[in-house]
Amino acid sequence: AKRSCSHERHKTLEVPMEGRDLGREGASDGAGPAPSKRVVILVGPCGSGKSTFAHELMSRAPGWVRVCQDTISKGGKRGSRAQCVKALRKALAEGKSVLVDRCHVTPEQRREFVGVARDDPGVTAIDAVVFDFPLQVLQHRVKYRINHEGGVEGPRGAIVCAIMRKQLMVRSNQPSE
């Protein structure tokens, strides 16, 4: 089966969710060359479904590591970009494929993660999955969610959502509308 995320101004993004053993990528049994590693960077404002997607993928891909800024600090608390970059490097050094769960709404916010992945000779693919929905949908999701791991919820979260949605740039020279 495939999951689809669509938006009237963007093509449908189809993500294969079954029929492939994603857990083998990045896992090494010590015999032969190390398997290829992938880095997937999630892109989108708060409320767009990045963490929901990440949790679903992690449940189906046990050989992968999720790097999430919302939970990277001690006790599962929000951390920094530097902590995420360090965790990405560590996971790649351990031969793991990595899913980076941060907003990454601008090319500048993605640049360091892409650079780390490019610098690792074992990484064979760097992908971005873009989550782009109308502001009203995002704000509704954020306003009514409870116990979000990053704490972005309620009316204040809806304001943050509007700021991030306005900043979203899918290509380096084109903001998302």
PDB file of all heavy atoms in Angstrom, residues 46-48 135-148 151-162:
ATOM      1  N   CYS A  46       5.317  23.104  11.706  1.00  0.00           N
ATOM      2  CA  CYS A  46       4.684  22.320  12.761  1.00  0.00           C
ATOM      3  C   CYS A  46       3.227  22.051  12.351  1.00  0.00           C
ATOM      4  O   CYS A  46       2.603  22.855  11.670  1.00  0.00           O
ATOM      5  CB  CYS A  46       4.778  23.038  14.104  1.00  0.00           C
ATOM      6  SG  CYS A  46       4.271  24.759  14.069  1.00  0.00           S
ATOM      7  N   GLY A  47       2.753  20.879  12.721  1.00  0.00           N
ATOM      8  CA  GLY A  47       1.389  20.492  12.381  1.00  0.00           C
ATOM      9  C   GLY A  47       1.244  19.819  11.035  1.00  0.00           C
ATOM     10  O   GLY A  47       0.146  19.419  10.653  1.00  0.00           O
ATOM     11  N   SER A  48       2.332  19.653  10.302  1.00  0.00           N
ATOM     12  CA  SER A  48       2.230  19.090   8.952  1.00  0.00           C
ATOM     13  C   SER A  48       2.296  17.563   8.925  1.00  0.00           C
ATOM     14  O   SER A  48       2.092  16.966   7.878  1.00  0.00           O
ATOM     15  CB  SER A  48       3.319  19.681   8.043  1.00  0.00           C
ATOM     16  OG  SER A  48       4.607  19.399   8.534  1.00  0.00           O
ATOM     17  N   LEU A 135      -2.253  26.786   5.477  1.00  0.00           N
ATOM     18  CA  LEU A 135      -2.084  27.289   6.833  1.00  0.00           C
ATOM     19  C   LEU A 135      -3.266  26.935   7.728  1.00  0.00           C
ATOM     20  O   LEU A 135      -3.075  26.556   8.884  1.00  0.00           O
ATOM     21  CB  LEU A 135      -1.872  28.811   6.811  1.00  0.00           C
ATOM     22  CG  LEU A 135      -1.733  29.491   8.168  1.00  0.00           C
ATOM     23  CD1 LEU A 135      -0.557  28.912   8.949  1.00  0.00           C
ATOM     24  CD2 LEU A 135      -1.600  30.994   8.001  1.00  0.00           C
ATOM     25  N   GLN A 136      -4.476  27.025   7.207  1.00  0.00           N
ATOM     26  CA  GLN A 136      -5.652  26.738   8.031  1.00  0.00           C
ATOM     27  C   GLN A 136      -5.636  25.304   8.552  1.00  0.00           C
ATOM     28  O   GLN A 136      -6.017  25.048   9.695  1.00  0.00           O
ATOM     29  CB  GLN A 136      -6.951  26.988   7.238  1.00  0.00           C
ATOM     30  CG  GLN A 136      -7.160  28.431   6.837  1.00  0.00           C
ATOM     31  CD  GLN A 136      -6.326  28.841   5.611  1.00  0.00           C
ATOM     32  OE1 GLN A 136      -5.677  28.020   4.932  1.00  0.00           O
ATOM     33  NE2 GLN A 136      -6.316  30.137   5.319  1.00  0.00           N
ATOM     34  N   VAL A 137      -5.198  24.362   7.733  1.00  0.00           N
ATOM     35  CA  VAL A 137      -5.115  22.956   8.141  1.00  0.00           C
ATOM     36  C   VAL A 137      -4.065  22.807   9.239  1.00  0.00           C
ATOM     37  O   VAL A 137      -4.308  22.167  10.268  1.00  0.00           O
ATOM     38  CB  VAL A 137      -4.776  22.048   6.932  1.00  0.00           C
ATOM     39  CG1 VAL A 137      -4.475  20.624   7.387  1.00  0.00           C
ATOM     40  CG2 VAL A 137      -5.904  22.070   5.917  1.00  0.00           C
ATOM     41  N   LEU A 138      -2.912  23.410   9.029  1.00  0.00           N
ATOM     42  CA  LEU A 138      -1.823  23.320  10.007  1.00  0.00           C
ATOM     43  C   LEU A 138      -2.244  23.923  11.343  1.00  0.00           C
ATOM     44  O   LEU A 138      -2.031  23.318  12.406  1.00  0.00           O
ATOM     45  CB  LEU A 138      -0.577  24.035   9.482  1.00  0.00           C
ATOM     46  CG  LEU A 138       0.010  23.512   8.179  1.00  0.00           C
ATOM     47  CD1 LEU A 138       1.072  24.472   7.660  1.00  0.00           C
ATOM     48  CD2 LEU A 138       0.568  22.116   8.349  1.00  0.00           C
ATOM     49  N   GLN A 139      -2.829  25.112  11.309  1.00  0.00           N
ATOM     50  CA  GLN A 139      -3.223  25.775  12.551  1.00  0.00           C
ATOM     51  C   GLN A 139      -4.297  24.991  13.293  1.00  0.00           C
ATOM     52  O   GLN A 139      -4.271  24.907  14.521  1.00  0.00           O
ATOM     53  CB  GLN A 139      -3.685  27.202  12.275  1.00  0.00           C
ATOM     54  CG  GLN A 139      -2.531  28.107  11.931  1.00  0.00           C
ATOM     55  CD  GLN A 139      -2.947  29.543  11.731  1.00  0.00           C
ATOM     56  OE1 GLN A 139      -3.919  29.816  11.032  1.00  0.00           O
ATOM     57  NE2 GLN A 139      -2.204  30.456  12.329  1.00  0.00           N
ATOM     58  N   HIS A 140      -5.231  24.411  12.573  1.00  0.00           N
ATOM     59  CA  HIS A 140      -6.256  23.592  13.219  1.00  0.00           C
ATOM     60  C   HIS A 140      -5.621  22.400  13.938  1.00  0.00           C
ATOM     61  O   HIS A 140      -5.944  22.111  15.092  1.00  0.00           O
ATOM     62  CB  HIS A 140      -7.283  23.114  12.186  1.00  0.00           C
ATOM     63  CG  HIS A 140      -8.347  22.257  12.776  1.00  0.00           C
ATOM     64  ND1 HIS A 140      -9.421  22.777  13.460  1.00  0.00           N
ATOM     65  CD2 HIS A 140      -8.476  20.911  12.811  1.00  0.00           C
ATOM     66  CE1 HIS A 140     -10.180  21.777  13.888  1.00  0.00           C
ATOM     67  NE2 HIS A 140      -9.637  20.638  13.504  1.00  0.00           N
ATOM     68  N   ARG A 141      -4.709  21.729  13.255  1.00  0.00           N
ATOM     69  CA  ARG A 141      -4.037  20.575  13.859  1.00  0.00           C
ATOM     70  C   ARG A 141      -3.278  20.966  15.125  1.00  0.00           C
ATOM     71  O   ARG A 141      -3.355  20.305  16.153  1.00  0.00           O
ATOM     72  CB  ARG A 141      -3.049  19.939  12.877  1.00  0.00           C
ATOM     73  CG  ARG A 141      -3.686  19.226  11.734  1.00  0.00           C
ATOM     74  CD  ARG A 141      -2.608  18.737  10.787  1.00  0.00           C
ATOM     75  NE  ARG A 141      -3.144  17.961   9.700  1.00  0.00           N
ATOM     76  CZ  ARG A 141      -2.397  17.451   8.738  1.00  0.00           C
ATOM     77  NH1 ARG A 141      -1.090  17.642   8.727  1.00  0.00           N
ATOM     78  NH2 ARG A 141      -2.945  16.749   7.780  1.00  0.00           N
ATOM     79  N   VAL A 142      -2.528  22.072  15.038  1.00  0.00           N
ATOM     80  CA  VAL A 142      -1.702  22.507  16.164  1.00  0.00           C
ATOM     81  C   VAL A 142      -2.569  23.013  17.316  1.00  0.00           C
ATOM     82  O   VAL A 142      -2.311  22.708  18.484  1.00  0.00           O
ATOM     83  CB  VAL A 142      -0.690  23.584  15.710  1.00  0.00           C
ATOM     84  CG1 VAL A 142      -0.008  24.236  16.889  1.00  0.00           C
ATOM     85  CG2 VAL A 142       0.339  22.965  14.776  1.00  0.00           C
ATOM     86  N   LYS A 143      -3.581  23.762  16.997  1.00  0.00           N
ATOM     87  CA  LYS A 143      -4.428  24.360  18.032  1.00  0.00           C
ATOM     88  C   LYS A 143      -5.101  23.301  18.903  1.00  0.00           C
ATOM     89  O   LYS A 143      -5.251  23.482  20.108  1.00  0.00           O
ATOM     90  CB  LYS A 143      -5.484  25.247  17.380  1.00  0.00           C
ATOM     91  CG  LYS A 143      -6.297  26.055  18.355  1.00  0.00           C
ATOM     92  CD  LYS A 143      -7.234  26.994  17.621  1.00  0.00           C
ATOM     93  CE  LYS A 143      -8.061  27.791  18.596  1.00  0.00           C
ATOM     94  NZ  LYS A 143      -8.997  28.683  17.897  1.00  0.00           N
ATOM     95  N   TYR A 144      -5.470  22.173  18.312  1.00  0.00           N
ATOM     96  CA  TYR A 144      -6.231  21.160  19.049  1.00  0.00           C
ATOM     97  C   TYR A 144      -5.422  19.941  19.491  1.00  0.00           C
ATOM     98  O   TYR A 144      -5.973  19.040  20.089  1.00  0.00           O
ATOM     99  CB  TYR A 144      -7.454  20.733  18.240  1.00  0.00           C
ATOM    100  CG  TYR A 144      -8.435  21.868  18.111  1.00  0.00           C
ATOM    101  CD1 TYR A 144      -8.534  22.591  16.929  1.00  0.00           C
ATOM    102  CD2 TYR A 144      -9.215  22.257  19.201  1.00  0.00           C
ATOM    103  CE1 TYR A 144      -9.413  23.664  16.828  1.00  0.00           C
ATOM    104  CE2 TYR A 144     -10.092  23.323  19.109  1.00  0.00           C
ATOM    105  CZ  TYR A 144     -10.185  24.020  17.915  1.00  0.00           C
ATOM    106  OH  TYR A 144     -11.042  25.086  17.831  1.00  0.00           O
ATOM    107  N   ARG A 145      -4.132  19.922  19.220  1.00  0.00           N
ATOM    108  CA  ARG A 145      -3.362  18.770  19.677  1.00  0.00           C
ATOM    109  C   ARG A 145      -2.974  18.954  21.146  1.00  0.00           C
ATOM    110  O   ARG A 145      -2.831  20.072  21.633  1.00  0.00           O
ATOM    111  CB  ARG A 145      -2.166  18.475  18.786  1.00  0.00           C
ATOM    112  CG  ARG A 145      -1.064  19.481  18.757  1.00  0.00           C
ATOM    113  CD  ARG A 145      -0.010  19.032  17.740  1.00  0.00           C
ATOM    114  NE  ARG A 145       1.052  20.004  17.580  1.00  0.00           N
ATOM    115  CZ  ARG A 145       1.985  19.916  16.669  1.00  0.00           C
ATOM    116  NH1 ARG A 145       2.005  18.906  15.824  1.00  0.00           N
ATOM    117  NH2 ARG A 145       2.931  20.822  16.577  1.00  0.00           N
ATOM    118  N   ILE A 146      -2.773  17.811  21.793  1.00  0.00           N
ATOM    119  CA  ILE A 146      -2.469  17.790  23.225  1.00  0.00           C
ATOM    120  C   ILE A 146      -1.230  16.926  23.441  1.00  0.00           C
ATOM    121  O   ILE A 146      -1.089  15.872  22.823  1.00  0.00           O
ATOM    122  CB  ILE A 146      -3.657  17.221  24.027  1.00  0.00           C
ATOM    123  CG1 ILE A 146      -4.890  18.093  23.804  1.00  0.00           C
ATOM    124  CG2 ILE A 146      -3.325  17.131  25.507  1.00  0.00           C
ATOM    125  CD1 ILE A 146      -6.164  17.477  24.340  1.00  0.00           C
ATOM    126  N   ASN A 147      -0.350  17.365  24.314  1.00  0.00           N
ATOM    127  CA  ASN A 147       0.851  16.614  24.679  1.00  0.00           C
ATOM    128  C   ASN A 147       1.791  16.357  23.504  1.00  0.00           C
ATOM    129  O   ASN A 147       2.376  15.281  23.402  1.00  0.00           O
ATOM    130  CB  ASN A 147       0.487  15.284  25.362  1.00  0.00           C
ATOM    131  CG  ASN A 147      -0.235  15.507  26.662  1.00  0.00           C
ATOM    132  OD1 ASN A 147       0.074  16.445  27.401  1.00  0.00           O
ATOM    133  ND2 ASN A 147      -1.215  14.667  26.937  1.00  0.00           N
ATOM    134  N   HIS A 148       1.933  17.328  22.635  1.00  0.00           N
ATOM    135  CA  HIS A 148       2.892  17.180  21.542  1.00  0.00           C
ATOM    136  C   HIS A 148       4.300  17.129  22.120  1.00  0.00           C
ATOM    137  O   HIS A 148       4.632  17.886  23.033  1.00  0.00           O
ATOM    138  CB  HIS A 148       2.769  18.338  20.562  1.00  0.00           C
ATOM    139  CG  HIS A 148       3.732  18.245  19.430  1.00  0.00           C
ATOM    140  ND1 HIS A 148       4.906  18.956  19.399  1.00  0.00           N
ATOM    141  CD2 HIS A 148       3.711  17.501  18.301  1.00  0.00           C
ATOM    142  CE1 HIS A 148       5.562  18.669  18.291  1.00  0.00           C
ATOM    143  NE2 HIS A 148       4.862  17.789  17.610  1.00  0.00           N
ATOM    144  N   GLY A 151       5.914  20.383  22.380  1.00  0.00           N
ATOM    145  CA  GLY A 151       5.184  21.409  23.114  1.00  0.00           C
ATOM    146  C   GLY A 151       4.547  22.474  22.242  1.00  0.00           C
ATOM    147  O   GLY A 151       4.036  23.466  22.754  1.00  0.00           O
ATOM    148  N   VAL A 152       4.556  22.287  20.914  1.00  0.00           N
ATOM    149  CA  VAL A 152       3.945  23.276  20.026  1.00  0.00           C
ATOM    150  C   VAL A 152       2.483  22.887  19.851  1.00  0.00           C
ATOM    151  O   VAL A 152       2.140  22.008  19.068  1.00  0.00           O
ATOM    152  CB  VAL A 152       4.674  23.344  18.667  1.00  0.00           C
ATOM    153  CG1 VAL A 152       4.046  24.402  17.773  1.00  0.00           C
ATOM    154  CG2 VAL A 152       6.156  23.630  18.865  1.00  0.00           C
ATOM    155  N   GLU A 153       1.634  23.570  20.621  1.00  0.00           N
ATOM    156  CA  GLU A 153       0.210  23.249  20.609  1.00  0.00           C
ATOM    157  C   GLU A 153      -0.576  24.453  21.107  1.00  0.00           C
ATOM    158  O   GLU A 153       0.006  25.411  21.627  1.00  0.00           O
ATOM    159  CB  GLU A 153      -0.073  22.028  21.488  1.00  0.00           C
ATOM    160  CG  GLU A 153       0.426  22.159  22.895  1.00  0.00           C
ATOM    161  CD  GLU A 153       0.389  20.843  23.671  1.00  0.00           C
ATOM    162  OE1 GLU A 153       0.729  19.785  23.118  1.00  0.00           O
ATOM    163  OE2 GLU A 153       0.010  20.912  24.838  1.00  0.00           O
ATOM    164  N   GLY A 154      -1.886  24.385  20.939  1.00  0.00           N
ATOM    165  CA  GLY A 154      -2.756  25.453  21.423  1.00  0.00           C
ATOM    166  C   GLY A 154      -2.643  26.722  20.596  1.00  0.00           C
ATOM    167  O   GLY A 154      -1.998  26.753  19.545  1.00  0.00           O
ATOM    168  N   PRO A 155      -3.251  27.808  21.086  1.00  0.00           N
ATOM    169  CA  PRO A 155      -3.245  29.088  20.345  1.00  0.00           C
ATOM    170  C   PRO A 155      -1.835  29.632  20.089  1.00  0.00           C
ATOM    171  O   PRO A 155      -1.560  30.147  19.007  1.00  0.00           O
ATOM    172  CB  PRO A 155      -4.038  30.030  21.256  1.00  0.00           C
ATOM    173  CG  PRO A 155      -4.919  29.127  22.065  1.00  0.00           C
ATOM    174  CD  PRO A 155      -4.118  27.864  22.262  1.00  0.00           C
ATOM    175  N   ARG A 156      -0.930  29.513  21.049  1.00  0.00           N
ATOM    176  CA  ARG A 156       0.453  29.984  20.826  1.00  0.00           C
ATOM    177  C   ARG A 156       1.129  29.155  19.738  1.00  0.00           C
ATOM    178  O   ARG A 156       1.882  29.682  18.924  1.00  0.00           O
ATOM    179  CB  ARG A 156       1.267  29.901  22.121  1.00  0.00           C
ATOM    180  CG  ARG A 156       0.899  31.017  23.093  1.00  0.00           C
ATOM    181  CD  ARG A 156       1.788  31.034  24.293  1.00  0.00           C
ATOM    182  NE  ARG A 156       3.179  31.223  23.884  1.00  0.00           N
ATOM    183  CZ  ARG A 156       4.222  30.978  24.649  1.00  0.00           C
ATOM    184  NH1 ARG A 156       4.068  30.548  25.876  1.00  0.00           N
ATOM    185  NH2 ARG A 156       5.448  31.175  24.198  1.00  0.00           N
ATOM    186  N   GLY A 157       0.868  27.863  19.730  1.00  0.00           N
ATOM    187  CA  GLY A 157       1.422  26.995  18.690  1.00  0.00           C
ATOM    188  C   GLY A 157       0.917  27.369  17.311  1.00  0.00           C
ATOM    189  O   GLY A 157       1.655  27.288  16.318  1.00  0.00           O
ATOM    190  N   ALA A 158      -0.343  27.801  17.224  1.00  0.00           N
ATOM    191  CA  ALA A 158      -0.906  28.206  15.936  1.00  0.00           C
ATOM    192  C   ALA A 158      -0.185  29.444  15.396  1.00  0.00           C
ATOM    193  O   ALA A 158       0.001  29.585  14.186  1.00  0.00           O
ATOM    194  CB  ALA A 158      -2.409  28.467  16.078  1.00  0.00           C
ATOM    195  N   ILE A 159       0.267  30.331  16.287  1.00  0.00           N
ATOM    196  CA  ILE A 159       1.035  31.511  15.864  1.00  0.00           C
ATOM    197  C   ILE A 159       2.398  31.078  15.322  1.00  0.00           C
ATOM    198  O   ILE A 159       2.837  31.540  14.266  1.00  0.00           O
ATOM    199  CB  ILE A 159       1.187  32.497  17.035  1.00  0.00           C
ATOM    200  CG1 ILE A 159      -0.180  33.086  17.397  1.00  0.00           C
ATOM    201  CG2 ILE A 159       2.175  33.608  16.690  1.00  0.00           C
ATOM    202  CD1 ILE A 159      -0.206  33.854  18.699  1.00  0.00           C
ATOM    203  N   VAL A 160       3.056  30.171  16.041  1.00  0.00           N
ATOM    204  CA  VAL A 160       4.349  29.642  15.585  1.00  0.00           C
ATOM    205  C   VAL A 160       4.176  28.983  14.217  1.00  0.00           C
ATOM    206  O   VAL A 160       4.997  29.155  13.313  1.00  0.00           O
ATOM    207  CB  VAL A 160       4.922  28.639  16.606  1.00  0.00           C
ATOM    208  CG1 VAL A 160       6.148  27.935  16.060  1.00  0.00           C
ATOM    209  CG2 VAL A 160       5.239  29.339  17.924  1.00  0.00           C
ATOM    210  N   CYS A 161       3.095  28.255  14.067  1.00  0.00           N
ATOM    211  CA  CYS A 161       2.797  27.559  12.816  1.00  0.00           C
ATOM    212  C   CYS A 161       2.705  28.555  11.647  1.00  0.00           C
ATOM    213  O   CYS A 161       3.254  28.310  10.569  1.00  0.00           O
ATOM    214  CB  CYS A 161       1.481  26.810  12.999  1.00  0.00           C
ATOM    215  SG  CYS A 161       1.039  25.785  11.636  1.00  0.00           S
ATOM    216  N   ALA A 162       2.031  29.671  11.864  1.00  0.00           N
ATOM    217  CA  ALA A 162       1.879  30.678  10.807  1.00  0.00           C
ATOM    218  C   ALA A 162       3.238  31.244  10.399  1.00  0.00           C
ATOM    219  O   ALA A 162       3.503  31.445   9.209  1.00  0.00           O
ATOM    220  CB  ALA A 162       0.951  31.799  11.278  1.00  0.00           C
TER     221      ALA A 162
END
